[in-house]
Amino acid sequence: MNCTNPHSCFSIIPVSNSSRKSNPCSSTSRSSAGNHVVSPLKIESFPRMRPMIPHRKGFRLCSSNGHSLQSVPGGDASVYAESDVKYIEQGDPDPLVYSESAASESMLSITVVGASGDLAKKKIFPALFALYYEDCLPKNFTVFGYARTKMTDEELRDMISATLTCRIDKSENCEDKMEQFLSRCYYHSGLYDSEDNFSELDTKLREKEAGKLAHRLFYLSIPPNIFVDVVKCASIRASSMKGWTRVIVEKPFGRDSESSRELTRSLKRYLSEDQIFRIDHYLGKELVENLSVLRFSNLVFEPLWSRNYIRNVQFIFSEDFGTEGRGGYFDHYGIIRDIMQNHLLQILALFAMETPVSLDAEDIRNEKVKVLRSMRPLQLEDVVVGQYKGHSKGSRSYPGYTDDPTVPNDSITPTFAAAALFINNARWDGVPFLMKAGKALHTKRAEIRVQFRHVPGNLYRKNFGTDLDKATNELVLQVQPDEAIYLKINNKVPGLGMRLDRSDLNLLFRARYPIEVPDAYERLLLDAVAGERRLFIRSDELDAAWALFTPLLKELDEKKIAPELYPYGSRGPVGAHYLAAKYNVRWGDLSADD
Amino acid sequence: MVGHSRPLSPVSDSDSWPPVIQPPMAIPHCASSSSSPSPLHPPSMFSPSSSDSTSGGRARFPRFHRPSSPHKVSLRIHGTSLRNSANQVAMVEVEGGPNKLGSPSPITLAKDEKSGLLANVSSASIIIVGASGDLAKKKIFPALFALYYENCLPKQFTVYGYARSKMTDSELRDMVSRTLSCRIDKREDCSEKMNEFLGRCFYHSGQYDSEEDFSNLDRKLKLQEGGEACNRLFYLSIPPNIFIDAVRCATLSASSSRGWTRVIVEKPFGRDTESSAALTDALKQYLEENQIFRIDHYLGKELVENLSVLRFSNLIFEPLWSRQHISNVQLIFSENFGTEGRGGYFDSYGIIRDIMQNHLLQILAIFAMETPVSLNAEDIRNEKVKVLRSIKPIHLDNVVTGQYNSQTKGDITFPGYTDDKTVAEGSLTPTFAATVLFIDNARWDGVPFLMKAGKALDNRRTEIRVQFRNVPGNLYKGNFTSDAEESNNELVIRVQPDESIYLKINNKVPGLGMDLDQSNLNLRYASRYSNEVPDAYERLLLDAMEGERRLFIRSDELDAAWAIFTPLLRELEEKNITPEGYPFGSQGPISAQHLASRYNVRWGDLNLNQ
C-alpha cells in the first residue's frame, strides 16, 4: 500500500523479500518484540545518488515522493554530521549490508499545538494514528498535545480516541493498535506565549526522549494571531538539541502581500526556511498528487498540454453548505483568501508548470514559482464575487450568510468568487484559466477541467448539430468526492446510423482501487516527518501567490464591492456565467451532460 | 440550408442541396417517426443523388429517406437519419451514367403524399444467390430481417432466394425463419414482424450458369415489382469459381430495366494480383465499377466504423497519430477454434488471404490514412489507396507462419489442422501468420505495423493496439511497479467481442507512497450503450441499397492490397515454407514473439495486464 514500492521509501528491503506487495513502511526490521534481527538488508540501486541516513532504527524514512529527501539544498541534512550521510552510487555492485547494530536509536516527538481545536481532533490525531497503523512512524515516537485547557493525559486520550478510526480495509488489530497509539499520546497545558510553559514541555519531551537522537515536529493548529508567539517560545525553549526541529504552519499565511511577508519575516527570526512547513492540504489530495504523474509519466497528455490544444482550464471548488454558525474566521478572510489564493492557485501552478528538472521539492517549487510569476495580477473586471442569501425549499429554509450570528449583518465578504487568470508565457499565452469557489452551492466537489479546442476542419461537423462547443474534448480530474479521471470523447453511437455522442474514457478510482484513499493530512504529516518539502509552500511561492491577489483584494475592500447575491443551494451568481462567456468559455460543471 | 421547407425541385441542382441538419439526437437510424403499425408502411428509401454520374455514384450528398408518415420526414445523412416536421420532401435517384444494360438513368421524384402524386415510389428486389448456403442462412437473411424490423428497407421490397436446390417458397421460409431473431432491446411485435418479413421472401431454383433460369427469375421479379423504379440487388453468396457465371447470367437476364442493379460480391477476390485482376476484368465485362460492391464485413463492424470518428472528431488523438508519438501499431485477430471439419475452402487460401490481406489490411488502411477531404466514399477510398500504395511489399523475413497441432488437455483432445478430413494430408497452409509492415510516408516512416491472425489460439478477439513511445526523460522512471517497458501508453480498440475502447495510462496508486501503475481510461460499450450493436452485414446491406460505397472495396484498393501480399504468398508457395507448429489453444508460434522483438515490440495481447 503506502510506501509499498521499495522505490518510494528508502529502499531497504530484505534480500529475501522480493515481493513488491509487502508493506515497507512496516519495515521488516520492526518487530513487536523489539528485537531487531532481520538483516542483511539490501539497498536497491538507484538511478542517481541516494543518501542514506543511518540514524534510523526500525523506521523507514518514507515520504510520498519516493526519492531522495536529502537532496534538498540546505535542508535538514545539515543536522547530520557529514560523515553520517552515506552516499550510495548508482549500480553499486556491493549490496550494502546494513544491520541494526549500525544504527543508533532515534526518536520523534510530535507536538500538536492547539490540541483541543477542531482541526487537531478531526484531522491531525486521526492522521497520526493512520500513519502509526501503517507503520509509517518511527518506532520511537511520542505525540504531545499542547493547549491552554487544563487536561490530563487520560482526558486527552479520551478526547482523541473518539475520532480515531481504522480504514475499512485494515481493521485488523484495530483496537490494539489504538491502545498502543494512545499510550504514546501525552498532554501538556500551557499558554501560547509563555516561554516557561514551553520549557516545561521541553523537560517532558526530554524525559520521553531519554537521550536518543530526538527530532521534534511542531504542528501549529492555532489562530494566526498567536502564530509568532508560539513559534518564538517553541523554538527558543523547546527546540531539539541534536535532531531537527520543524514547524508545520496552517493557513492563513497573512491576508495580503504585506501581512504575509511580515509573518514570514517573524517566523524567520526564529526558524530557518527549511524548518518551516506551510501546509496546503489540497496539495496532499490524491488527484492533485496524480496531476504531475498524469502529465509527466504518460506520453499522451504532454503533447496536448499547451495553448495549441487547450482552450481553457477550470478549477472548481464548491461546497453545498454555508458557514453554519462558524463564520467568525471566514468573515475576516472571505472565499478568495480561503480557497482561491491558496488551494486553487496551487493546483493551477502544478497544472501549468513546465517540466521540472527532477521531482525534488526545490525543482518542483522553482517551476511553480515561475508560473505564478508569469501571471498577471487579477483585474477587478475578471472577477465576480457573490454571497449566498437565505432560501426556502418547501418547508425547509436555509439561512443566508448574514443570517449567521457569527457574521456581521452588513458583511460584504464574498462566499463565492469566480475569476479568470492568464499566464503570460509561451505555453499558455491567451488561455483563460478560470477559477470558481463557493459555499452553499448545489453540489460539493473539487475538480479540474481541461477543455480542448475545436477540431479544425472537423469532418463530422454535420453530425454534431449546431453546438460545436458541445463536441470538444474535455479532461476532468475529479479531486473530491469520488476521485475519478475521465476524458470526454466523441464516439459513434452503435447502430446503423452515424450518430455521435460524447462518451467518457473513464477511470473511477473506487472501481479500480479497492483501497481507501488516505487523507491529505496523512501524506503531509508523513512528508514533514521525512523532510519532503514538495507539497509545502515555499516563501517565494507564497509571495508570488499574494502578488496576484493582493491588488484585487485591496480594490474589493476599498471600493466596498457588494457581492452578487445567490440563493443557498443554487449554482451561484449568474455573473460567473457572463465572466466565462466573456472569454468564450462555458463552465464544465454546469453543462448538461456532466 | 433548408430541409423542411425545401420546395419540390428537380434533382440536378444537388449542389445546393445540403439540407438543414438538426441535432440528430435520439432518433432511430431508419425508423420513421411513427413506428408503423402496419407492414405496409415501412419507409421507402432512395439512393443518394450524384452530380457525378460517371464516378460510381459518389455519395457526396446527403441521403434521403422517405418515411411513411405524412407529417414527419426522416432525412438520412451519411447514415444519420434526421427528422423534421415538414411534410414536403423531394426524393432523388440517379444511378449509373452510361448503363450497359441499356436502361435509362431513372429519376424518381416523390412528392408530398398529400399532393396525391405518391405513385412514384421505387421497389427493391434483393436476390440472394446461394440462398441455401451458410452465410445466407446465418448472416444475410437475419440482417435483412433486422433492417426490415428497423424500417430500413423500402416500402416495397421482396427477397428472393436463388440456388440449385429444389425448394418451395415455404420451405425457404421455414429455413430462414429458424435463424431470424429480434434484438434484445427490440422485441415488440417480433413474431408478427417475422411473419410479415417471411411473407416477402420467395425462392427460385436455378443453375448458376443458366441464363434461362435467370430469365425465369426476372419474370417472377417483374410480377412483384411496381412503382417508378425497380431496383435490384444481387448478393452473391457462392463459391468463387461460379462468380463470373452468376454475374453474367444475372446481368444479362435479370438486370433491372427501370432502376439500378447492384451486385454484392463476397471474398475471395482472387488469390493473388493476377487472379484478382482477372476477376475484376471479368466482372467489368458485365458490370460498371459502381455496380460492384465488394464486401469486407470487417469494415461494417462498429468499432472499425468508429475508428474514423475517434480520429477525426476528437482533437486529442490526431496530434498523437504519427511516428512522433506512436511506437507501433498492432492488428490482432484470433479465433479459439480450428477449421472443425470445414477446411476445404480454407485450405486452398490460408490465413493470410483469408484474414490479413483483406480484413486486417483494410483496418490498417483506415487507421493510417491521411485525413480525407470529406467523408464521401471516394474521398475515403482515395486516401486508403494512397496508404496501401505506400506500403512496401512484405518480405519473407518479416513473416512467421504457423499451423496448429493437436493438443490434449485432460480428457479432451483437440485435433490438429491436418487431422481435419477436409484438409489435404501434409498441407502447408498456414493457420497462423504474423507479419510486420511499414508505410513509407512522412507520417509513418519507421513505425512497425504488426499483424497477427490465427485459428485455434487461446482466445477469440479482434483488436487494434496502438502503443505509444516512451516518455522522453521520464521523471517517474523509478516509480513504476512493473517493468518500465510495459509502462508505455497504449490505446486499445477492441473490435470484438465485448466492444470497447481503452487508453492505458500511468497513474499513481492511491496511498501514501508514490507507486505508479497502469490503469485504463475505459469505455466499454456494454456499460455505456444499452442498444445492441448491429451486425456488420446489416450496415453493409443497408449501405449497398443506398449506394453508399464507403465501406466497400474499390478495384484499385484491391489491386494495391494484393500488390503488398502477392510476392510473399508466391515465395511461401514456391519455397514450400513449412509453417511452425503450435498447439491447439496456445498463444501461437513462439517465432511471432521473436519477430516482434526484432522491432522492439511486445505483442499487447500477450501482456499480463491487457
Side-chain angles (χ1 to χ4, degrees):
Chain A
M1 233 246 49
N2 56 316
C3 312
T4 336
N5 182 356
H7 297 269
S8 68
C9 300
F10 265 87
S11 268
I12 312 171
I13 54 165
V15 176
S16 56
N17 183 4
S18 59
S19 160
R20 290 171 190 274
K21 288 296 160 203
S22 66
N23 183 345
C25 257
S26 59
S27 88
T28 42
S29 56
R30 186 189 162 277
S31 91
S32 47
N35 179 16
H36 308 291
V37 248
V38 195
S39 327
L41 298 172
K42 177 192 165 199
I43 311 282
E44 288 216 331
S45 58
F46 286 89
R48 53 204 173 73
M49 270 178 71
R50 300 248 157 186
M52 282 297 314
I53 301 108
H55 298 291
R56 288 175 297 114
K57 182 161 192 175
F59 152 50
R60 262 166 197 268
L61 201 44
C62 297
S63 83
S64 67
N65 200 7
H67 70 113
S68 164
L69 305 172
Q70 261 57 41
S71 58
V72 180
D76 299 308
S78 57
V79 301
Y80 302 105
E82 198 58 48
S83 59
D84 285 339
V85 181
K86 292 181 185 163
Y87 287 92
I88 294 122
E89 295 277 352
Q90 173 176 10
D92 190 341
D94 304 314
L96 187 117
V97 175
Y98 194 72
S99 70
E100 200 57 35
S101 58
S104 62
E105 297 260 341
S106 76
M107 165 87 195
L108 174 67
S109 305
I110 300 162
T111 308
V112 181
V113 183
S116 51
D118 235 34
L119 181 74
K121 274 191 277 190
K122 286 194 188 149
K123 293 289 186 183
I124 305 171
F125 288 113
L128 286 172
F129 171 63
L131 290 178
Y132 173 71
Y133 192 108
E134 305 266 3
D135 286 320
C136 286
L137 290 182
K139 184 185 144 222
N140 300 310
F141 77 94
T142 52
V143 177
F144 260 88
Y146 186 103
R148 284 175 304 190
T149 331
K150 299 272 176 230
M151 228 193 298
T152 63
D153 291 347
E154 270 318 310
E155 282 166 336
L156 175 85
R157 287 169 191 166
D158 278 356
M159 183 189 85
I160 296 173
S161 66
T163 59
L164 298 190
T165 56
C166 282
R167 290 199 219 290
I168 296 157
D169 51 335
K170 304 212 168 168
S171 46
E172 200 190 315
N173 299 330
C174 187
E175 290 293 317
D176 288 352
K177 290 272 189 180
M178 276 192 198
E179 283 307 312
Q180 290 160 13
F181 175 77
L182 288 172
S183 70
R184 308 239 194 153
C185 294
Y186 305 91
Y187 184 74
H188 182 74
S189 161
L191 296 172
Y192 294 124
D193 56 355
S194 157
E195 291 193 23
D196 289 350
N197 291 158
F198 275 95
S199 285
E200 291 155 25
L201 173 70
D202 183 56
T203 312
K204 283 196 186 172
L205 286 173
R206 261 195 266 185
E207 212 172 278
K208 307 284 176 209
E209 288 161 4
K212 297 187 186 97
L213 175 75
H215 305 299
R216 291 186 184 171
L217 178 66
F218 290 88
Y219 197 121
L220 304 197
S221 172
I222 47 175
N225 57 324
I226 48 175
F227 272 4
V228 179
D229 284 338
V230 171
V231 167
K232 186 182 74 172
C233 301
S235 64
I236 294 177
R237 295 294 174 183
S239 279
S240 167
M241 300 307 284
K242 284 186 282 172
W244 48 253
T245 302
R246 293 172 190 158
V247 179
I248 297 180
V249 194
E250 272 278 351
K251 72 175 179 183
F253 312 124
R255 51 190 329 272
D256 53 23
S257 290
E258 290 74 36
S259 53
S260 163
R261 219 168 288 145
E262 178 53 36
L263 177 66
T264 299
R265 208 173 311 137
S266 308
L267 291 176
K268 287 210 177 163
R269 245 185 284 160
Y270 308 104
L271 299 169
S272 60
E273 172 77 24
D274 62 73
Q275 291 183 284
I276 306 170
F277 286 70
R278 287 185 197 83
I279 215 166
D280 183 323
H281 72 275
Y282 265 70
L283 292 184
K285 294 209 180 264
E286 192 58 43
L287 271 262
V288 177
E289 267 281 78
N290 205 11
L291 185 54
S292 296
V293 174
L294 277 188
R295 285 187 65 189
F296 301 126
S297 80
N298 290 293
L299 187 82
V300 293
F301 297 116
E302 195 58 19
L304 307 171
W305 222 254
S306 74
R307 64 199 298 274
N308 290 334
Y309 298 106
I310 291 179
R311 198 173 174 215
N312 68 76
V313 186
Q314 305 177 9
F315 301 91
I316 296 168
F317 168 95
S318 62
E319 276 179 349
D320 54 2
F321 50 88
T323 49
E324 325 276 312
R326 316 176 61 114
Y329 160 79
F330 182 83
D331 193 59
H332 187 53
Y333 286 89
I335 197 89
I336 298 179
R337 290 185 180 91
D338 199 41
I339 304 291
M340 275 192 172
Q341 181 270 345
N342 39 37
H343 303 327
L344 297 189
L345 189 63
Q346 284 295 323
I347 298 176
L348 184 151
L350 278 177
F351 179 93
M353 70 180 182
E354 297 298 312
T355 312
V357 175
S358 79
L359 296 175
D360 289 347
E362 300 316 309
D363 288 331
I364 291 176
R365 298 196 290 186
N366 287 345
E367 294 305 329
K368 282 168 65 192
V369 171
K370 276 167 57 187
V371 171
L372 294 174
R373 291 184 49 216
S374 304
M375 295 172 73
R376 60 167 194 241
L378 261 175
Q379 307 296 305
L380 190 59
E381 67 262 27
D382 283 340
V383 175
V384 169
V385 290
Q387 191 185 79
Y388 65 91
K389 59 181 184 192
H391 181 60
S392 296
K393 265 185 200 162
S395 56
R396 281 206 64 179
S397 92
Y398 298 88
Y401 176 64
T402 50
D403 299 337
D404 190 320
T406 57
V407 168
N409 283 339
D410 57 350
S411 170
I412 55 168
T413 301
T415 61
F416 175 99
L421 294 94
F422 291 88
I423 304 173
N424 291 327
N425 66 17
R427 192 190 280 261
W428 296 117
D429 191 8
V431 178
F433 284 78
L434 279 84
M435 284 183 182
K436 188 163 75 167
K439 286 179 176 290
L441 294 172
H442 70 305
T443 65
K444 171 173 181 290
R445 67 166 123 191
E447 61 189 14
I448 308 167
R449 289 180 169 264
V450 188
Q451 295 188 342
F452 291 91
R453 290 182 181 275
H454 292 150
V455 175
N458 195 335
L459 287 171
Y460 290 89
R461 203 180 306 120
K462 289 177 180 174
N463 302 79
F464 286 118
T466 46
D467 193 353
L468 278 181
D469 280 355
K470 283 189 182 149
T472 52
N473 295 124
E474 189 172 14
L475 175 67
V476 182
L477 305 183
Q478 205 165 290
V479 177
Q480 67 183 30
D482 208 10
E483 291 87 347
I485 300 169
Y486 54 97
L487 180 59
K488 293 191 182 186
I489 58 163
N490 297 303
N491 202 56
K492 180 182 171 306
V493 179
L496 293 173
M498 178 56 81
R499 211 151 57 77
L500 305 194
D501 75 352
R502 273 226 289 200
S503 292
D504 295 340
L505 288 176
N506 204 345
L507 173 60
L508 190 61
F509 276 50
R510 185 163 30 79
R512 169 73 177 89
Y513 302 105
I515 42 177
E516 214 173 313
V517 176
D519 189 77
Y521 282 92
E522 294 175 36
R523 191 191 317 283
L524 294 166
L525 274 164
L526 177 65
D527 280 356
V529 170
E532 166 60 60
R533 292 167 173 77
R534 182 174 42 108
L535 303 178
F536 297 90
I537 318 287
R538 209 166 59 184
S539 301
D540 55 346
E541 279 188 88
L542 186 59
D543 268 0
W546 276 120
L548 295 176
F549 280 88
T550 297
L552 167 79
L553 289 164
K554 213 151 270 180
E555 204 173 344
L556 282 173
D557 282 347
E558 278 163 11
K559 296 192 175 161
K560 299 217 176 308
I561 305 283
E564 186 180 334
L565 297 179
Y566 60 96
Y568 192 115
S570 70
R571 290 163 180 252
V574 75
H577 294 268
Y578 294 129
L579 175 66
K582 183 163 116 188
Y583 294 106
N584 251 317
V585 176
R586 294 183 199 197
W587 291 106
D589 61 329
L590 301 181
S591 78
D593 66 330
D594 183 59
Chain B
M1 307 248 290
V2 263
H4 55 284
S5 61
R6 184 179 167 78
L8 210 64
S9 72
V11 198
S12 51
D13 65 342
S14 35
D15 279 323
S16 65
W17 225 146
V20 117
I21 287 137
Q22 302 291 345
M25 301 315 286
I27 297 166
H29 13 276
C30 299
S32 68
S33 51
S34 57
S35 50
S36 41
S38 136
L40 302 172
H41 285 275
S44 327
M45 332 208 253
F46 298 86
S47 272
S49 64
S50 168
S51 61
D52 183 355
S53 55
T54 57
S55 73
R58 300 169 49 161
R60 180 134 53 96
F61 302 102
R63 291 183 256 174
F64 306 101
H65 244 235
R66 186 121 173 62
S68 55
S69 156
H71 297 294
K72 299 274 176 72
V73 174
S74 287
L75 296 184
R76 195 178 152 95
I77 285 147
H78 290 303
T80 304
S81 100
L82 303 173
R83 185 198 299 165
N84 63 40
S85 59
N87 51 16
Q88 278 189 316
V89 69
M91 272 176 285
V92 184
E93 166 68 357
V94 176
E95 176 77 16
N99 190 328
K100 282 201 175 157
L101 307 166
S103 68
S105 297
I107 293 176
T108 309
L109 291 182
K111 298 176 190 173
D112 182 31
E113 271 180 89
K114 281 183 179 166
S115 70
L117 296 173
L118 196 65
N120 305 328
V121 252
S122 62
S123 65
S125 304
I126 300 151
I127 304 100
I128 297 158
V129 183
S132 50
D134 234 35
L135 181 74
K137 275 190 277 190
K138 285 192 187 150
K139 293 290 184 181
I140 307 171
F141 284 109
L144 284 170
F145 171 63
L147 290 176
Y148 174 71
Y149 192 107
E150 306 260 4
N151 285 334
C152 287
L153 292 183
K155 191 173 151 194
Q156 292 191 34
F157 78 93
T158 48
V159 177
Y160 257 90
Y162 186 103
R164 283 174 305 191
S165 343
K166 299 275 175 229
M167 230 194 294
T168 63
D169 289 347
S170 66
E171 279 166 339
L172 174 87
R173 287 169 191 166
D174 275 357
M175 183 189 86
V176 171
S177 68
R178 260 171 269 139
T179 58
L180 299 190
S181 65
C182 282
R183 289 199 220 289
I184 296 157
D185 51 336
K186 304 213 170 165
R187 24 185 69 256
E188 201 189 314
D189 302 325
C190 185
S191 52
E192 212 175 296
K193 287 271 188 180
M194 276 192 198
N195 285 333
E196 288 159 20
F197 175 77
L198 290 171
R200 310 244 194 146
C201 292
F202 303 91
Y203 184 75
H204 182 76
S205 159
Q207 297 297 316
Y208 296 123
D209 57 355
S210 157
E211 289 189 32
E212 206 185 316
D213 290 345
F214 274 96
S215 289
N216 292 335
L217 172 71
D218 184 55
R219 264 192 296 283
K220 281 197 189 172
L221 287 174
K222 277 188 179 137
L223 291 178
Q224 307 278 355
E225 287 169 348
E228 192 76 356
C230 312
N231 301 318
R232 292 184 184 172
L233 177 67
F234 288 88
Y235 196 122
L236 302 195
S237 172
I238 47 177
N241 57 324
I242 48 177
F243 270 3
I244 303 293
D245 284 336
V247 166
R248 177 172 51 86
C249 300
T251 52
L252 294 181
S253 307
S255 275
S256 168
S257 52
R258 292 184 300 141
W260 48 252
T261 303
R262 293 174 189 154
V263 179
I264 297 181
V265 195
E266 271 279 350
K267 72 176 178 184
F269 311 125
R271 44 181 293 118
D272 54 21
T273 300
E274 289 72 33
S275 55
S276 165
L279 177 66
T280 300
D281 285 348
L283 290 175
K284 288 207 176 166
Q285 267 179 273
Y286 308 104
L287 298 167
E288 288 287 309
E289 173 77 23
N290 66 48
Q291 292 182 285
I292 307 170
F293 286 72
R294 287 186 197 83
I295 215 166
D296 183 323
H297 72 274
Y298 267 71
L299 294 185
K301 294 208 181 265
E302 189 59 43
L303 276 257
V304 177
E305 268 280 78
N306 201 24
L307 190 52
S308 295
V309 174
L310 275 187
R311 285 187 65 190
F312 301 125
S313 80
N314 290 293
L315 187 79
I316 52 172
F317 295 117
E318 196 57 20
L320 305 172
W321 222 256
S322 74
R323 63 199 298 274
Q324 210 179 337
H325 300 293
I326 291 179
S327 94
N328 69 81
V329 182
Q330 305 178 8
L331 303 152
I332 296 168
F333 168 96
S334 59
E335 276 178 350
N336 54 2
F337 49 88
T339 48
E340 325 270 309
R342 315 174 63 110
Y345 160 78
F346 182 85
D347 196 53
S348 66
Y349 285 88
I351 197 88
I352 298 178
R353 291 185 179 90
D354 199 42
I355 303 293
M356 276 193 172
Q357 181 271 345
N358 40 36
H359 304 326
L360 296 188
L361 190 64
Q362 284 295 323
I363 297 175
L364 184 151
I366 290 175
F367 179 93
M369 71 181 181
E370 297 299 310
T371 313
V373 175
S374 79
L375 296 175
N376 293 327
E378 301 316 309
D379 288 332
I380 291 175
R381 298 198 288 186
N382 287 344
E383 294 305 330
K384 282 169 66 192
V385 172
K386 276 167 57 187
V387 171
L388 293 174
R389 290 183 50 215
S390 305
I391 299 177
K392 286 184 273 200
I394 301 167
H395 199 265
L396 190 59
D397 291 347
N398 281 336
V399 176
V400 169
T401 56
Q403 193 184 76
Y404 62 92
N405 299 328
S406 71
Q407 163 84 340
T408 306
K409 271 184 196 160
D411 301 343
I412 308 169
T413 298
F414 298 92
Y417 176 65
T418 49
D419 300 336
D420 191 321
K421 292 192 177 63
T422 56
V423 167
E425 200 97 355
S427 169
L428 293 181
T429 302
T431 61
F432 174 99
T435 183
V436 183
L437 293 87
F438 290 92
I439 302 174
D440 276 350
N441 66 16
R443 191 190 281 261
W444 297 116
D445 191 9
V447 178
F449 283 77
L450 283 83
M451 284 184 182
K452 187 164 74 166
K455 287 178 176 289
L457 294 173
D458 59 343
N459 63 35
R460 171 177 168 264
R461 69 165 120 194
T462 304
E463 60 189 14
I464 308 166
R465 288 179 171 265
V466 188
Q467 295 189 341
F468 291 90
R469 288 183 180 274
N470 295 324
V471 175
N474 196 335
L475 287 171
Y476 289 89
K477 217 174 293 152
N479 297 92
F480 292 104
T481 45
S482 60
D483 195 341
E485 273 286 298
E486 285 171 20
S487 69
N488 289 356
N489 294 126
E490 188 172 16
L491 176 69
V492 181
I493 298 169
R494 198 191 297 145
V495 176
Q496 67 184 28
D498 197 13
E499 292 88 346
S500 51
I501 301 168
Y502 54 96
L503 178 62
K504 290 198 202 173
I505 57 163
N506 297 304
N507 201 55
K508 181 182 169 305
V509 179
L512 294 173
M514 179 58 80
D515 299 346
L516 306 195
D517 74 353
Q518 277 209 324
S519 292
N520 295 340
L521 288 176
N522 202 350
L523 172 60
R524 202 171 147 249
Y525 275 45
S527 4
R528 169 73 176 97
Y529 300 107
S530 53
N531 42 339
E532 210 172 313
V533 176
D535 189 78
Y537 282 92
E538 294 175 34
R539 189 191 318 282
L540 293 167
L541 274 165
L542 178 62
D543 281 352
M545 306 243 293
E546 296 192 338
E548 167 60 62
R549 290 165 175 79
R550 186 170 39 107
L551 303 179
F552 296 91
I553 318 288
R554 209 165 62 183
S555 301
D556 55 347
E557 279 187 90
L558 186 60
D559 273 358
W562 275 120
I564 297 168
F565 281 90
T566 297
L568 167 75
L569 289 164
R570 194 150 296 163
E571 207 173 343
L572 281 174
E573 275 152 31
E574 278 166 8
K575 296 190 176 165
N576 279 325
I577 305 281
T578 310
E580 189 178 330
Y582 62 94
F584 193 114
S586 69
Q587 297 192 330
I590 192 80
S591 299
Q593 284 160 58
H594 298 231
L595 176 66
S597 61
R598 199 193 307 163
Y599 295 98
N600 257 318
V601 176
R602 296 185 196 196
W603 290 105
D605 62 330
L606 303 183
N607 259 354
L608 282 179
N609 84 88
Q610 296 177 11

